[in-house]
Amino acid sequence: MFTDFFIKRPVFSAVCSILIVLVGLVGYTRLPVKEFPSIDPPVVSVSTTYPGANPRTVETEVTEILEAQINGVEGIKTLTSESRESVSSITVQFDLDRDIDIAAQEVRSRVAQAVGQLPDEVESPVVRKRSGDASPIMWFSLYSEDGSISNLELSDYADRFVVDALETVPGVSNIIIGGERRYAMRLWIDPQRLAARNLTILEVEDALRRENVELPSGRVEGDATEYPVRTLGQLQTPAEYENLVVRTTPNGTQIRLKDIGRAEIGAEDERSFVRFKGKPAVGLGIVKLSTANILEVAAAVKAKMEQLSPNFPEGMTYQLPVDSSEFVQLAIDEVWGALYLATIL
């Protein structure tokens, strides 16, 4: 009966077929291209840094206090936590029918209430919604072929000249620098010399906080002129740090930092670094926007790196060891192959 209706009306059948083809063509041009479907579960993470604390201290002084507050939020499905050296990580998964924006706001309110119970040295907790598209789609390795460029120099160059350029590529959300090592002033204190002068490391820290600061100094005004005054209070070079006065004794003798140790420019964190093929390197992870086409973003980023590479310092080069867009392209090629085969059959 249904088939007879279309057989007896060939014009109507042709129009329906054309409409189906047109709808298919329009839908094809608007299909998003991703490796996985867009699934954003209602998950909120809370990250807190407690510099210098061991895992047990982090658990008792930070994690347990935050957990006790967050437990009262409505609609929690699971709550998991991890206490590592200097870092507390709490992951809260809510029921699927829970609005993630409202849930995140409630978690922020609970965390704000608990901040007053945390130690003073703890940095402000960071509450963020976990997105399913937050993982990098590709990783570039920026490394030194001859090993003449250190991780510090690679990190500094990538941060100054590569990251900003890649973030301008359409569809790129942000760039992750893996193994980044930032320049910092490192102070090495000799414990024997420190004890010989009856000093503690806390006194050295207090001296740094007190002396290494730049404060507003107002202005000098005249009848027809006005000059802003700037006090150069921040220390810049190792020599300036070594001349820092830690304590002045009752007889007027000044104990400087160079009397108990030394200062040098080095990496902010010496415990992590990246090597590629045994050479110093940094990783550049490309995170795309959730609505962007992974193939278009990958092609644009590769073209941008090709454009930037001629300006790299001598001895610096890059490779692409991880590229998830290749798997998406292979899957699309398989779909086209299946369509061709179906059409022939």
Side-chain angles (χ1 to χ4, degrees):
M1 185 74 176
F2 185 75
T3 307
D4 292 342
F5 177 83
F6 285 96
I7 292 176
K8 294 177 180 178
R9 295 169 177 80
V11 176
F12 180 76
S13 302
V15 171
C16 289
S17 299
I18 293 173
L19 286 176
I20 292 173
V21 172
L22 289 176
V23 171
L25 291 174
V26 172
Y28 173 77
T29 59
R30 299 183 180 182
L31 277 176
V33 180
K34 300 181 179 180
E35 185 175 7
F36 301 107
S38 296
I39 301 176
D40 288 329
V43 177
V44 177
S45 64
V46 182
S47 301
T48 312
T49 302
Y50 189 178
N54 59 57
R56 184 178 294 276
T57 303
V58 171
E59 181 180 7
T60 57
E61 298 294 330
V62 179
T63 305
E64 291 181 355
I65 295 174
L66 293 176
E67 281 183 338
Q69 285 288 344
I70 297 173
N71 265 328
V73 178
E74 180 185 357
I76 293 179
K77 183 177 180 181
T78 60
L79 189 150
T80 58
S81 64
E82 181 183 4
S83 299
R84 306 189 307 275
E85 184 178 356
S86 303
V87 178
S88 168
S89 300
I90 300 176
T91 302
V92 188
Q93 183 175 355
F94 292 89
D95 297 329
L96 292 177
D97 57 350
R98 192 78 161 89
D99 187 283
I100 184 62
D101 295 318
I102 297 176
Q105 187 59 42
E106 291 184 7
V107 171
R108 289 190 182 94
S109 298
R110 294 280 183 163
V111 170
Q113 295 175 18
V115 167
Q117 306 175 39
L118 302 178
D120 295 337
E121 296 79 9
V122 174
E123 298 179 4
S124 299
V126 178
V127 181
R128 59 169 64 91
K129 297 180 291 184
R130 182 173 295 180
S131 173
D133 293 318
S135 300
I137 62 171
M138 58 201 310
W139 280 94
F140 287 96
S141 178
L142 193 66
Y143 67 102
S144 173
E145 285 184 307
D146 52 9
S148 60
I149 305 176
S150 65
N151 292 84
L152 272 170
E153 294 168 327
L154 288 169
S155 299
D156 185 64
Y157 185 87
D159 185 48
R160 290 172 179 267
F161 302 105
V162 181
V163 171
D164 290 341
L166 293 180
E167 285 181 341
T168 62
V169 174
V172 173
S173 174
N174 67 291
I175 309 296
I176 300 174
I177 303 181
E180 182 180 17
R181 309 184 81 184
R182 294 182 176 273
Y183 279 101
M185 191 67 67
R186 300 185 66 86
L187 306 181
W188 299 93
I189 307 299
D190 187 329
Q192 295 181 349
R193 295 160 66 182
L194 188 71
R197 289 162 177 80
N198 199 24
L199 289 171
T200 65
I201 196 67
L202 291 178
E203 291 182 88
V204 179
E205 182 180 353
D206 290 340
L208 284 169
R209 294 181 185 276
R210 183 178 63 252
E211 302 294 339
N212 186 25
V213 61
E214 187 167 340
L215 299 174
S217 304
R219 59 181 178 269
V220 177
E221 298 181 356
D223 294 335
T225 59
E226 178 179 299
Y227 299 99
V229 178
R230 179 187 175 194
T231 303
L232 300 178
Q234 286 189 332
L235 308 177
Q236 302 291 335
T237 64
E240 292 177 353
Y241 274 90
E242 290 181 348
N243 285 319
L244 174 71
V245 177
V246 179
R247 180 199 283 178
T248 302
T249 62
N251 61 6
T253 302
Q254 293 181 334
I255 302 176
R256 301 181 183 272
L257 183 66
K258 62 183 177 182
D259 298 325
I260 57 175
R262 58 186 173 85
E264 66 179 16
I265 297 176
E268 186 177 279
D269 186 1
E270 291 280 5
R271 296 176 299 174
S272 63
F273 62 91
V274 171
R275 290 187 183 275
F276 182 73
K277 296 183 177 180
K279 306 294 178 58
V282 293
L284 299 177
I286 313 299
V287 181
K288 72 177 186 66
L289 296 171
S290 58
T291 57
N293 185 314
I294 184 174
L295 298 181
E296 294 178 355
V297 173
V301 170
K302 292 175 186 176
K304 191 67 175 180
M305 285 297 289
E306 286 286 344
Q307 180 183 346
L308 295 174
S309 59
N311 298 322
F312 287 173
E314 185 178 355
M316 183 185 298
T317 185
Y318 78 95
Q319 284 194 19
L320 182 60
V322 178
D323 184 6
S324 60
S325 66
E326 294 180 355
F327 305 104
V328 178
Q329 186 62 59
L330 289 173
I332 293 176
D333 293 340
E334 289 292 330
V335 171
W336 279 112
L339 289 175
Y340 293 145
L341 182 59
T343 303
I344 295 172
L345 293 177

